[in-house]
Amino acid sequence: MEEAIENGVAAPRLSRGLVAILIAAWMLVVCGSFVMLWRYKSTPGAAGAKSDWPHASHLARSEDRATLVLFAHPYCPCTRASLEQLSRIMARVGGRVDAKVLFSEIADEDPKTSELWKKVEAIPGLVPLVDRDGMEAAAFGAKTSGHVVLFDRSGRGLYSGGITSARGHEGDNPGAQRVVALIATGVADRDTAPIFGCALKDD
Amino acid sequence: MTDTDGEALKRRAAALLEEDRDRVHRRTDRFFAALLIGQWVCAIALAAIYSPYAWEGKTRAIHVHVYAAILLGGVINALPIFLAWARPGAAVTRYVIASAQMLWSALLIHLMGGRIETHFHVFGSLAFLSFYRDWKVIIPATVVVAGDHFVRGMLWPESVYGIANPEWWRFLEHAFWVVFEDTFLLLACFAISRDMEQRALVQAEVEAIGQREQKKSAALDVALQQLRTSQETLVRTEKLAAVGQLAASVGHELRNPLFAIRNANTFVTKRLDGNADPKVTQFLQLMERELGVCSKIIADLLDFARERAPNAQPCPLRPLVDEAISLVPASKVKVVNAIPEDLPVPSLDKDQFRQIIINLVQNAVEAMPAERGGEVKVVAEGGGDKPWRISVVDDGPGMPSDVIERVFEPLFTTKTKGTGLGLAIVSNMVKAHRGVIRVDSSLGRGSRFDIELPAT
């Protein structure tokens, strides 16, 4: 590798072979890094099984339409995408569902001051609530931020899962499509989808 | 314009086009190096603001997006920025830059959580890449986008299409919209490329016209200089002719009185015959010597003014040179007649050529420093079909270039006692023989006068 002067600074003179090796190594490292990123983003969090409305819950369930509950960690950046998806769901079928977002408490932080709380307040038809001591999450079996549970007017469980395609990734996805289908028609190909988000509680 | 001119014009236009393209490529390489660094900084800031921490209950850790922005962004930038510095303007540099720019689209889409607005980075980047004015750059960029969609479509279709089981050709649909933009960018690249070619051709033509005008101007300058020189020569010749006529007239008029004075002086000297006061004898000798100088000046003036046509006859050179040498006043300088005995006999005017040899030899002898001797040699060659060459060579002090230029000018002399006509007479007589005379001299190495006469 000889040196040549370029713009007043000694620049190395590269052979074609060396450039080819550099490009191959670069592509390998870049592709490997993207694969690692994809794997992280597509690794779902813990999910609870679908069940009917739990008796231990103190939440009010709608008697005349479906009830949707989304569990959220107030500072989880991935949940921003879940709320964005929920906003789209509400835009399509908002009149047919009673939707609530339950924010878990994090130490001394008040969830009401978080950006996500304000985002929920800005979405028509959504009600933000605080899940004191994580009691509701425990009652509904929710362990991951972004977990959505859907019930019909009788309290029968229709759906339990996520509504994003990856961690913090917006866009149309099977989970959101199923929720819309279940609210609109009561029928969907499946009643769950992977949940992508932060853990609601420490292990 | 000849075919050769046309080819030269095309070659120059091609060179100018290449220079222009190289300049554009290097400039765009620098632009993209800055853009890549800017995107990196923005991505880190974006990740730090948009998704600083990942949470697990109450425990937080730096989010993977922050690491991805720093590390993956750094890796994406490393090679293109290095090549932009190490191989600016090279094709491989812009292809790597194009690929890196599209990889940045993929990374930014990840960091921004797949927001649809971030996908416009792809189309903006393609437009930026057209700054290279090289349609080939669009190809690796498109391949990276299509490849990203194809691979993710196979492995993680939701991240691209939003559905779990898309049709196999869905990546083609995405690629189509990229190709749709590519089409216009390629057309723009071709159009700009044609403009650049046209501009290079016009520039080459302007340069060629400039060069032609410059040549014409130079030729005109030369012609003007020649005209000026001719005018000066003409004026000088006219002046010299007038002076020559006057000198000839004066010389002619002075010759008889001088002759009478010399006779009288000789008569007086003989009559006194050593009986006079020594001072009188000394003055009489001085008069005789100075009268001789006057006679020589008059003879030179008359020789120069007359310009008699040569009366060429067979004339052996060696005896002629011997005769001429015998007429040169004796001195410490050794004069050698080196003309071969068997040299063929040339045809020339004996009187004029004797005068030529006398003048050249005397000039060489007088040029020798008084404190040392030296050698003057007369050589000759030629005969048959070969032209004649008669040379007078000395090992004297030589002449500087400014003297050499004027050495044959009438009235030019470097001696304190000289008319400046000796070599001018030689030059005139040689020209009258249809010959040329050249001088080669350098300071400290002597001089050489070569007379060349056409073969007889």
Side-chain angles (χ1 to χ4, degrees):
Chain A
M1 194 163 72
E2 297 171 37
E3 298 224 324
I5 299 296
E6 180 64 38
N7 297 329
V9 183
R13 199 184 295 276
L14 307 171
S15 67
R16 286 187 172 198
L18 186 57
V19 171
I21 290 169
L22 285 173
I23 291 173
W26 177 69
M27 287 172 70
L28 203 65
V29 174
V30 168
C31 290
S33 302
F34 267 112
V35 168
M36 286 169 67
L37 184 61
W38 287 343
R39 287 186 67 175
Y40 165 78
K41 294 194 76 169
S42 57
T43 303
K50 186 188 77 171
S51 63
D52 293 340
W53 189 269
H55 297 294
S57 172
H58 293 92
L59 281 179
R61 178 171 56 80
S62 175
E63 300 287 334
D64 59 349
R65 53 185 174 165
T67 303
L68 181 150
V69 182
L70 185 147
F71 293 91
H73 187 294
Y75 304 110
C76 174
C78 315
T79 304
R80 196 182 285 120
S82 297
L83 293 178
E84 184 62 36
Q85 288 306 120
L86 183 56
S87 168
R88 292 177 193 178
I89 291 169
M90 294 303 288
R92 293 179 66 180
V93 291
R96 302 184 192 179
V97 67
D98 178 20
K100 311 170 199 298
V101 177
L102 259 66
F103 284 94
S104 53
E105 286 184 306
I106 305 299
D108 299 330
E109 303 280 346
D110 184 357
K112 292 177 183 174
T113 62
S114 69
E115 177 214 332
L116 294 183
W117 183 282
K118 293 184 177 71
K119 188 175 178 67
V120 171
E121 283 182 324
I123 300 170
L126 272 187
V127 178
L129 298 167
V130 177
D131 182 13
R132 301 288 173 202
D133 300 323
M135 289 174 62
E136 293 298 334
F140 284 90
K143 294 173 181 170
T144 303
S145 183
H147 189 165
V148 169
V149 284
L150 180 67
F151 302 90
D152 65 10
R153 66 183 71 174
S154 66
R156 186 171 60 91
L158 296 176
Y159 182 83
S160 175
I163 51 174
T164 60
S165 60
R167 286 187 77 122
H169 202 92
E170 287 178 20
D172 203 8
N173 66 90
Q177 287 171 359
R178 285 165 194 154
V179 169
V180 169
L182 286 166
I183 293 170
T185 65
V187 180
D189 60 336
R190 293 181 64 188
D191 57 7
T192 188
I195 308 165
F196 299 100
C198 307
L200 291 170
K201 290 181 72 176
D202 301 312
D203 286 334
Chain B
M1 192 191 302
T2 64
D3 287 349
T4 314
D5 289 342
E7 286 301 314
L9 190 70
K10 280 181 188 168
R11 277 199 301 276
R12 180 61 187 149
L16 286 169
L17 180 63
E18 198 50 42
E19 279 175 24
D20 198 16
R21 280 181 174 154
D22 186 60
R23 199 163 41 243
V24 169
H25 293 158
R26 283 169 186 265
R27 189 178 61 212
T28 314
D29 283 345
R30 287 196 295 274
F31 165 77
F32 268 104
L35 180 65
L36 290 171
I37 292 170
Q39 286 174 157
W40 192 26
V41 171
C42 286
I44 293 169
L46 201 69
I49 295 166
Y50 199 68
S51 50
Y53 301 110
W55 291 79
E56 197 160 322
K58 296 167 186 172
T59 309
R60 69 183 189 184
I62 299 292
H63 199 284
V64 167
H65 279 182
V66 177
Y67 292 120
I70 295 170
L71 299 177
L72 181 51
V75 168
I76 290 173
N77 275 359
L79 186 61
I81 290 175
F82 173 70
L83 289 177
W85 169 64
R87 294 192 69 178
V92 69
T93 300
R94 51 185 179 275
Y95 299 156
V96 169
I97 283 176
S99 304
Q101 184 60 24
M102 304 323 290
L103 288 170
W104 265 109
S105 295
L107 180 57
L108 287 171
I109 289 167
H110 274 297
L111 298 181
M112 289 300 292
R115 287 176 69 85
I116 196 74
E117 292 83 353
T118 317
H119 287 74
F120 288 110
H121 187 274
V122 173
F123 299 101
S125 296
L126 287 169
F128 281 153
L129 287 170
S130 69
F131 284 14
Y132 273 115
R133 305 179 193 179
D134 176 7
W135 63 271
K136 293 195 247 359
V137 169
I138 305 296
I139 294 173
T142 306
V143 167
V144 169
V145 174
D148 174 50
H149 279 70
F150 177 73
V151 172
R152 279 201 290 146
M154 295 288 285
L155 302 176
W156 183 24
E158 296 95 327
S159 73
V160 185
Y161 311 117
I163 53 175
N165 296 303
E167 301 84 350
W168 67 267
W169 46 263
R170 283 295 285 270
F171 84 98
L172 290 176
E173 184 184 342
H174 281 227
F176 167 80
W177 292 109
V178 174
V179 172
F180 180 73
E181 184 185 357
D182 285 353
T183 305
F184 300 103
L185 293 175
L186 291 175
L187 288 174
C189 283
F190 289 141
I192 291 169
S193 194
R194 275 196 301 274
D195 283 350
M196 287 170 78
E197 284 170 17
Q198 193 62 34
R199 196 172 59 194
L201 190 62
V202 169
Q203 196 178 339
E205 282 172 351
V206 168
E207 280 183 9
I209 290 168
Q211 282 171 354
R212 280 201 295 273
E213 291 305 313
Q214 216 167 13
K215 277 183 187 170
K216 280 182 189 172
S217 175
L220 197 60
D221 284 348
V222 169
L224 280 172
Q225 186 59 38
Q226 284 173 344
L227 186 62
R228 205 173 289 125
T229 307
S230 299
Q231 279 179 327
E232 286 171 0
T233 306
L234 187 63
V235 169
R236 196 165 60 241
T237 306
E238 284 175 351
K239 278 184 185 172
L240 284 171
V243 171
Q245 281 181 351
L246 185 63
S249 172
V250 171
H252 188 73
E253 293 301 322
L254 283 178
R255 194 165 56 174
N256 290 338
L258 264 179
F259 186 68
I261 293 168
R262 285 189 85 173
N263 279 345
N265 190 53
T266 307
F267 178 78
V268 171
T269 304
K270 280 184 180 172
R271 286 297 297 265
L272 288 174
D273 196 18
N275 297 324
D277 183 334
K279 273 280 185 195
V280 172
T281 307
Q282 191 182 341
F283 281 129
L284 286 171
Q285 284 171 350
L286 177 67
M287 284 171 67
E288 177 60 27
R289 194 166 59 246
E290 293 305 316
L291 282 167
V293 171
C294 289
S295 294
K296 173 76 170 62
I297 291 170
I298 288 167
D300 281 353
L301 281 170
L302 290 174
D303 282 344
F304 181 70
R306 273 190 207 126
E307 289 198 5
R308 177 174 61 79
N311 178 23
Q313 288 182 344
C315 175
L317 263 181
R318 189 174 168 82
L320 181 70
V321 170
D322 276 338
E323 189 183 339
I325 290 172
S326 69
L327 294 172
V328 175
S331 69
K332 283 185 185 176
V333 180
K334 183 182 175 188
V335 182
V336 178
N337 181 355
I339 293 177
E341 295 276 3
D342 56 349
L343 187 76
V345 176
S347 180
L348 19 100
D349 186 307
K350 186 178 177 184
D351 292 337
Q352 287 191 357
F353 236 82
R354 187 195 307 113
Q355 188 65 48
I356 288 170
I357 302 297
I358 290 170
N359 285 7
L360 287 176
V361 171
Q362 192 164 350
N363 191 63
V365 168
E366 287 172 356
M368 293 289 180
E371 64 276 9
R372 76 165 170 92
E375 187 179 86
V376 177
K377 192 188 285 182
V378 183
V379 294
E381 61 183 15
D385 296 337
K386 292 180 184 172
W388 299 97
R389 174 181 290 201
I390 301 109
S391 305
V392 177
V393 186
D394 70 64
D395 58 357
M399 293 178 282
S401 57
D402 57 326
V403 172
I404 294 172
E405 285 172 10
R406 303 184 60 194
V407 79
F408 296 114
E409 268 184 32
L411 306 177
F412 175 77
T413 180
T414 57
K415 299 174 199 162
T416 51
K417 279 190 174 180
T419 59
L421 291 172
L423 291 179
I425 290 167
V426 168
S427 175
N428 285 348
M429 287 179 174
V430 170
K431 281 179 193 165
H433 279 80
R434 293 185 292 119
V436 290
I437 181 164
R438 293 192 187 89
V439 59
D440 179 21
S441 180
S442 56
L443 284 173
R445 296 176 64 184
S447 303
R448 177 188 183 96
F449 287 82
D450 291 314
I451 296 168
E452 280 185 17
L453 300 175
T456 52

